[in-house]
Amino acid sequence: MASCSLGSRLVACLLNVSEARRKDLVETVAKAALFNTEGVRREGTTVLNIFNDHDYNRSVITIVASIDSIREAVLAACEKACGLIDMRDHSGLHPRMGAVDLIPIYPLGEEVEVEHCAEEARAVAQGLTERVQGTSAFLFGWADSPLHRGLAQRRKEMGWFKKKPDMQTMVPDIGPQPQAQFGLTELQALGRSGLDRGYQRRSSRDDGMFDSLNKPHTLHQNNQYLPSEADVPQPGPLMQTLWVGASPYVMNCNVTIDTQDLALGRSIATAIRESTPGGLPGVQVLALPHDGAVEIACNVESVKGHSPGYMTAGEPWPSFSIQGQPYCHAPASLITARVAELAGKQGIGAKSTALVGFTPRECRGLAEIALSQGIAEFWKEQHRIRM
């Protein structure tokens, strides 16, 4: 990322909100990051993108601000979401811990210090436990001092995604003991009627998650879950459990293959996963049913060092630095090519590739454009702007 005084202290928060079917509600949450309760705009803050997934009933809101301003923007958005989304009535195919259950902070500017990101993440966690009664916060990444455990590692250690986790063993870093789980089992996510319809649980994008639950089911393409008016959750307070952390940028890259064979999708996911010999560094992946096909859903973590020469396939990996330390991440083109190659060997084609938000370089570049032009609600304008 090239040096720029405007972007040198920028950070991004990709806020994961447990609502997508009521887009007006999600936009209300996004606007809470941009404007205070009197309607006055927060200086130096923009929302670049809102990604909605109807099946997941989950949205990702990309908030960018200076490291000095990100805390209040994120806290305000989270507080608004917790006040509007009642998890007791929530339904969706993505596991979730609360109305807002994942709050990662990523440095974009070269002047942003790792420890400052960690401090802001911890401050957000502390602030939410004070503002939203009953909130429990678990820290990951740089915010998890001194161990600096990643999100996937913390989830595995806690057994959070087991069908019947021992709630008493889950000791939060901040806040009270969690009392309830939401959307963490197939039965809770869909209800028995959902299981009878043959739904496959769409699970977290962490490496190896839900292996015990990821059993084959028939995917019914035309039997989508559509909530009735009675199913729409009404606003109401509820105890929240969430993950808050800081780390190098994590990108989501999803490749859809033209099949409903989840076993085939899982074999491809295993082949490209970082933990598999010959897999792609920094890539955590699952195969999930999506829109009548199978989605190879990847979390693409930024890894230390320069792009591995043996995997570039003629294209260098996008790179940037954090406090002088080089980082890079697998390009979407490489992930797509690898998935297409493996699917092609089984006579299956790749249909499309989707990024949830932006690459790290795009995120900073677009934020600089938005802030230099005074565009707060950039998600409404980005189709008109080219970098």
Side-chain angles (χ1 to χ4, degrees):
M1 298 179 184
S3 177
C4 173
S5 59
L6 180 64
S8 61
R9 292 186 59 76
L10 290 180
V11 295
C13 175
L14 272 61
L15 195 65
N16 285 241
V17 179
S18 297
E19 178 61 61
R21 296 167 186 165
R22 296 180 293 169
K23 294 184 178 180
D24 56 339
L25 185 154
V26 179
E27 289 199 4
T28 297
V29 173
K31 290 177 181 178
L34 299 171
F35 304 94
N36 66 19
T37 54
E38 286 75 40
V40 178
R41 182 186 168 189
R42 303 182 202 280
E43 290 298 322
T45 303
T46 183
V47 171
L48 294 182
N49 190 61
I50 300 176
F51 178 87
N52 308 108
D53 191 298
H54 184 275
D55 289 346
Y56 282 160
N57 200 9
R58 186 179 182 91
S59 298
V60 179
I61 303 172
T62 303
I63 304 169
V64 178
S66 74
I67 186 65
D68 309 295
S69 304
I70 193 68
R71 182 191 309 180
E72 188 55 37
V74 172
L75 278 171
C78 292
E79 188 175 10
K80 179 65 71 173
C82 291
L84 293 177
I85 301 170
D86 190 337
M87 294 303 294
R88 292 169 293 191
D89 296 322
H90 187 276
S91 61
L93 301 184
H94 196 291
R96 61 272 182 191
M97 296 168 62
V100 176
D101 63 9
L102 180 59
I103 310 172
I105 295 177
Y106 306 133
L108 298 177
E110 62 277 350
E111 293 183 10
V112 178
E113 297 182 2
V114 166
E115 184 51 37
H116 203 168
C117 287
E119 290 173 0
E120 291 305 307
R122 289 191 288 264
V124 167
Q126 182 65 48
L128 277 174
T129 61
E130 295 170 355
R131 296 189 188 190
V132 181
Q133 184 178 7
T135 296
S136 305
F138 295 82
L139 303 175
F140 67 90
W142 296 324
D144 174 41
S145 182
L147 299 179
H148 297 169
R149 291 165 292 181
L151 179 61
Q153 182 181 350
R154 290 227 62 188
R155 284 173 167 170
K156 289 177 182 178
E157 289 174 352
M158 295 171 61
W160 184 264
F161 293 106
K162 293 180 179 179
K163 287 187 177 181
K164 294 183 179 180
D166 184 355
M167 303 297 291
Q168 296 305 310
T169 64
M170 298 182 186
V171 182
D173 297 294
I174 305 173
Q177 185 78 27
Q179 298 299 313
Q181 57 177 146
F182 299 98
L184 300 181
T185 68
E186 197 164 37
L187 183 61
Q188 287 172 309
L190 297 171
R192 175 53 59 187
S193 62
L195 292 177
D196 291 341
R197 293 187 186 106
Y199 285 110
Q200 166 70 28
R201 181 186 177 91
R202 296 188 70 193
S203 55
S204 169
R205 296 173 178 182
D206 288 332
D207 185 11
M209 289 301 183
F210 296 104
D211 288 341
S212 63
L213 301 180
N214 199 19
K215 305 299 183 184
H217 293 283
T218 302
L219 182 64
H220 296 279
Q221 181 174 359
N222 298 319
N223 197 11
Q224 299 292 326
Y225 172 74
L226 296 175
S228 66
E229 289 297 321
D231 293 327
V232 177
Q234 299 301 312
L238 191 65
M239 296 180 70
Q240 306 290 329
T241 306
L242 46 87
W243 296 97
V244 188
S247 73
Y249 200 98
V250 177
M251 182 180 71
N252 295 105
C253 176
N254 304 329
V255 183
T256 301
I257 57 176
D258 193 11
T259 182
Q260 295 185 13
D261 187 344
L262 284 172
L264 172 60
R266 286 195 296 272
S267 70
I268 293 174
T270 298
I272 69 171
R273 185 175 294 145
E274 177 184 41
S275 58
T276 300
L280 299 176
V283 175
Q284 301 179 30
V285 56
L286 285 175
L288 308 170
H290 193 267
D291 196 23
V294 172
E295 180 180 85
I296 308 302
C298 305
N299 266 4
V300 186
E301 297 181 345
S302 300
V303 297
K304 283 185 178 181
H306 300 284
S307 60
Y310 65 96
M311 283 190 175
T312 58
E315 178 184 355
W317 288 29
S319 61
F320 57 98
S321 65
I322 301 174
Q323 292 185 261
Q325 170 69 54
Y327 284 84
C328 64
H329 65 87
S333 59
L334 175 61
I335 296 170
T336 301
R338 185 65 62 87
V339 171
E341 176 189 3
L342 293 168
K345 291 179 178 178
Q346 304 298 322
I348 302 298
K351 296 179 66 177
S352 63
T353 298
L355 296 180
V356 179
F358 312 100
T359 67
R361 184 179 296 276
E362 289 171 340
C363 191
R364 173 167 168 173
L366 290 172
E368 290 175 348
I369 293 173
L371 294 174
S372 66
Q373 298 183 14
I375 305 173
E377 300 175 21
F378 189 80
W379 79 87
K380 297 180 179 179
E381 306 287 337
Q382 63 169 300
H383 66 282
R384 300 191 299 104
I385 297 176
R386 296 291 181 268
M387 292 176 62

PDB file of all heavy atoms in Angstrom, residues 284-300:
ATOM      1  N   GLN A 284      -8.416 -20.639   4.766  1.00  0.00           N
ATOM      2  CA  GLN A 284      -9.269 -21.545   5.516  1.00  0.00           C
ATOM      3  C   GLN A 284     -10.564 -21.664   4.737  1.00  0.00           C
ATOM      4  O   GLN A 284     -11.091 -20.680   4.241  1.00  0.00           O
ATOM      5  CB  GLN A 284      -9.530 -20.992   6.914  1.00  0.00           C
ATOM      6  CG  GLN A 284      -8.256 -20.765   7.722  1.00  0.00           C
ATOM      7  CD  GLN A 284      -8.549 -20.191   9.078  1.00  0.00           C
ATOM      8  OE1 GLN A 284      -9.596 -20.443   9.666  1.00  0.00           O
ATOM      9  NE2 GLN A 284      -7.621 -19.396   9.591  1.00  0.00           N
ATOM     10  N   VAL A 285     -11.097 -22.864   4.622  1.00  0.00           N
ATOM     11  CA  VAL A 285     -12.157 -23.062   3.633  1.00  0.00           C
ATOM     12  C   VAL A 285     -13.129 -24.160   4.037  1.00  0.00           C
ATOM     13  O   VAL A 285     -12.752 -25.134   4.685  1.00  0.00           O
ATOM     14  CB  VAL A 285     -11.523 -23.374   2.252  1.00  0.00           C
ATOM     15  CG1 VAL A 285     -10.607 -24.575   2.331  1.00  0.00           C
ATOM     16  CG2 VAL A 285     -12.578 -23.566   1.186  1.00  0.00           C
ATOM     17  N   LEU A 286     -14.375 -23.972   3.653  1.00  0.00           N
ATOM     18  CA  LEU A 286     -15.416 -24.977   3.782  1.00  0.00           C
ATOM     19  C   LEU A 286     -16.241 -25.008   2.502  1.00  0.00           C
ATOM     20  O   LEU A 286     -16.308 -24.013   1.770  1.00  0.00           O
ATOM     21  CB  LEU A 286     -16.351 -24.661   4.959  1.00  0.00           C
ATOM     22  CG  LEU A 286     -15.821 -24.923   6.365  1.00  0.00           C
ATOM     23  CD1 LEU A 286     -16.852 -24.429   7.376  1.00  0.00           C
ATOM     24  CD2 LEU A 286     -15.559 -26.393   6.580  1.00  0.00           C
ATOM     25  N   ALA A 287     -16.881 -26.144   2.245  1.00  0.00           N
ATOM     26  CA  ALA A 287     -17.834 -26.254   1.147  1.00  0.00           C
ATOM     27  C   ALA A 287     -19.235 -26.119   1.721  1.00  0.00           C
ATOM     28  O   ALA A 287     -19.605 -26.828   2.651  1.00  0.00           O
ATOM     29  CB  ALA A 287     -17.675 -27.602   0.444  1.00  0.00           C
ATOM     30  N   LEU A 288     -20.017 -25.203   1.150  1.00  0.00           N
ATOM     31  CA  LEU A 288     -21.341 -24.906   1.666  1.00  0.00           C
ATOM     32  C   LEU A 288     -22.363 -24.877   0.536  1.00  0.00           C
ATOM     33  O   LEU A 288     -22.054 -24.413  -0.560  1.00  0.00           O
ATOM     34  CB  LEU A 288     -21.340 -23.533   2.357  1.00  0.00           C
ATOM     35  CG  LEU A 288     -20.269 -23.306   3.423  1.00  0.00           C
ATOM     36  CD1 LEU A 288     -20.258 -21.842   3.826  1.00  0.00           C
ATOM     37  CD2 LEU A 288     -20.526 -24.188   4.624  1.00  0.00           C
ATOM     38  N   PRO A 289     -23.594 -25.340   0.784  1.00  0.00           N
ATOM     39  CA  PRO A 289     -24.633 -25.209  -0.242  1.00  0.00           C
ATOM     40  C   PRO A 289     -25.019 -23.748  -0.398  1.00  0.00           C
ATOM     41  O   PRO A 289     -25.110 -23.008   0.585  1.00  0.00           O
ATOM     42  CB  PRO A 289     -25.791 -26.027   0.325  1.00  0.00           C
ATOM     43  CG  PRO A 289     -25.581 -26.012   1.798  1.00  0.00           C
ATOM     44  CD  PRO A 289     -24.102 -25.985   2.009  1.00  0.00           C
ATOM     45  N   HIS A 290     -25.214 -23.323  -1.634  1.00  0.00           N
ATOM     46  CA  HIS A 290     -25.576 -21.927  -1.853  1.00  0.00           C
ATOM     47  C   HIS A 290     -26.282 -21.776  -3.192  1.00  0.00           C
ATOM     48  O   HIS A 290     -25.712 -22.075  -4.235  1.00  0.00           O
ATOM     49  CB  HIS A 290     -24.324 -21.046  -1.818  1.00  0.00           C
ATOM     50  CG  HIS A 290     -24.631 -19.579  -1.728  1.00  0.00           C
ATOM     51  ND1 HIS A 290     -24.728 -18.781  -2.841  1.00  0.00           N
ATOM     52  CD2 HIS A 290     -24.865 -18.785  -0.657  1.00  0.00           C
ATOM     53  CE1 HIS A 290     -24.999 -17.538  -2.458  1.00  0.00           C
ATOM     54  NE2 HIS A 290     -25.093 -17.526  -1.146  1.00  0.00           N
ATOM     55  N   ASP A 291     -27.522 -21.338  -3.148  1.00  0.00           N
ATOM     56  CA  ASP A 291     -28.281 -20.987  -4.348  1.00  0.00           C
ATOM     57  C   ASP A 291     -28.279 -22.115  -5.372  1.00  0.00           C
ATOM     58  O   ASP A 291     -28.029 -21.909  -6.560  1.00  0.00           O
ATOM     59  CB  ASP A 291     -27.701 -19.700  -4.957  1.00  0.00           C
ATOM     60  CG  ASP A 291     -28.653 -19.061  -5.965  1.00  0.00           C
ATOM     61  OD1 ASP A 291     -29.861 -19.326  -5.875  1.00  0.00           O
ATOM     62  OD2 ASP A 291     -28.174 -18.303  -6.831  1.00  0.00           O
ATOM     63  N   GLY A 292     -28.575 -23.322  -4.912  1.00  0.00           N
ATOM     64  CA  GLY A 292     -28.689 -24.458  -5.817  1.00  0.00           C
ATOM     65  C   GLY A 292     -27.379 -25.019  -6.315  1.00  0.00           C
ATOM     66  O   GLY A 292     -27.376 -25.846  -7.235  1.00  0.00           O
ATOM     67  N   ALA A 293     -26.276 -24.584  -5.751  1.00  0.00           N
ATOM     68  CA  ALA A 293     -24.957 -25.095  -6.145  1.00  0.00           C
ATOM     69  C   ALA A 293     -24.134 -25.306  -4.872  1.00  0.00           C
ATOM     70  O   ALA A 293     -24.680 -25.398  -3.775  1.00  0.00           O
ATOM     71  CB  ALA A 293     -24.276 -24.113  -7.102  1.00  0.00           C
ATOM     72  N   VAL A 294     -22.826 -25.392  -5.017  1.00  0.00           N
ATOM     73  CA  VAL A 294     -21.930 -25.530  -3.866  1.00  0.00           C
ATOM     74  C   VAL A 294     -20.930 -24.381  -3.901  1.00  0.00           C
ATOM     75  O   VAL A 294     -20.320 -24.109  -4.939  1.00  0.00           O
ATOM     76  CB  VAL A 294     -21.190 -26.881  -3.872  1.00  0.00           C
ATOM     77  CG1 VAL A 294     -20.133 -26.915  -2.777  1.00  0.00           C
ATOM     78  CG2 VAL A 294     -22.181 -28.023  -3.669  1.00  0.00           C
ATOM     79  N   GLU A 295     -20.777 -23.734  -2.774  1.00  0.00           N
ATOM     80  CA  GLU A 295     -19.846 -22.617  -2.654  1.00  0.00           C
ATOM     81  C   GLU A 295     -18.599 -23.058  -1.888  1.00  0.00           C
ATOM     82  O   GLU A 295     -18.714 -23.616  -0.799  1.00  0.00           O
ATOM     83  CB  GLU A 295     -20.531 -21.465  -1.924  1.00  0.00           C
ATOM     84  CG  GLU A 295     -19.673 -20.230  -1.734  1.00  0.00           C
ATOM     85  CD  GLU A 295     -20.439 -19.132  -1.000  1.00  0.00           C
ATOM     86  OE1 GLU A 295     -20.466 -19.155   0.245  1.00  0.00           O
ATOM     87  OE2 GLU A 295     -21.017 -18.275  -1.680  1.00  0.00           O
ATOM     88  N   ILE A 296     -17.439 -22.810  -2.456  1.00  0.00           N
ATOM     89  CA  ILE A 296     -16.178 -23.044  -1.772  1.00  0.00           C
ATOM     90  C   ILE A 296     -15.843 -21.721  -1.089  1.00  0.00           C
ATOM     91  O   ILE A 296     -15.361 -20.780  -1.715  1.00  0.00           O
ATOM     92  CB  ILE A 296     -15.062 -23.468  -2.745  1.00  0.00           C
ATOM     93  CG1 ILE A 296     -15.533 -24.643  -3.614  1.00  0.00           C
ATOM     94  CG2 ILE A 296     -13.805 -23.840  -1.980  1.00  0.00           C
ATOM     95  CD1 ILE A 296     -15.952 -25.870  -2.837  1.00  0.00           C
ATOM     96  N   ALA A 297     -16.165 -21.659   0.201  1.00  0.00           N
ATOM     97  CA  ALA A 297     -16.107 -20.399   0.952  1.00  0.00           C
ATOM     98  C   ALA A 297     -14.772 -20.301   1.689  1.00  0.00           C
ATOM     99  O   ALA A 297     -14.461 -21.135   2.534  1.00  0.00           O
ATOM    100  CB  ALA A 297     -17.262 -20.327   1.950  1.00  0.00           C
ATOM    101  N   CYS A 298     -14.001 -19.273   1.355  1.00  0.00           N
ATOM    102  CA  CYS A 298     -12.631 -19.155   1.868  1.00  0.00           C
ATOM    103  C   CYS A 298     -12.445 -17.909   2.717  1.00  0.00           C
ATOM    104  O   CYS A 298     -12.834 -16.808   2.317  1.00  0.00           O
ATOM    105  CB  CYS A 298     -11.633 -19.089   0.713  1.00  0.00           C
ATOM    106  SG  CYS A 298     -11.734 -20.461  -0.453  1.00  0.00           S
ATOM    107  N   ASN A 299     -11.855 -18.074   3.878  1.00  0.00           N
ATOM    108  CA  ASN A 299     -11.253 -16.983   4.621  1.00  0.00           C
ATOM    109  C   ASN A 299      -9.803 -16.894   4.168  1.00  0.00           C
ATOM    110  O   ASN A 299      -9.049 -17.869   4.301  1.00  0.00           O
ATOM    111  CB  ASN A 299     -11.287 -17.254   6.131  1.00  0.00           C
ATOM    112  CG  ASN A 299     -12.508 -16.644   6.797  1.00  0.00           C
ATOM    113  OD1 ASN A 299     -13.371 -16.078   6.140  1.00  0.00           O
ATOM    114  ND2 ASN A 299     -12.577 -16.776   8.105  1.00  0.00           N
ATOM    115  N   VAL A 300      -9.409 -15.751   3.646  1.00  0.00           N
ATOM    116  CA  VAL A 300      -8.059 -15.589   3.115  1.00  0.00           C
ATOM    117  C   VAL A 300      -7.284 -14.666   4.038  1.00  0.00           C
ATOM    118  O   VAL A 300      -7.427 -13.447   3.989  1.00  0.00           O
ATOM    119  CB  VAL A 300      -8.089 -15.017   1.676  1.00  0.00           C
ATOM    120  CG1 VAL A 300      -6.678 -15.004   1.097  1.00  0.00           C
ATOM    121  CG2 VAL A 300      -9.029 -15.832   0.795  1.00  0.00           C
TER     122      VAL A 300
END
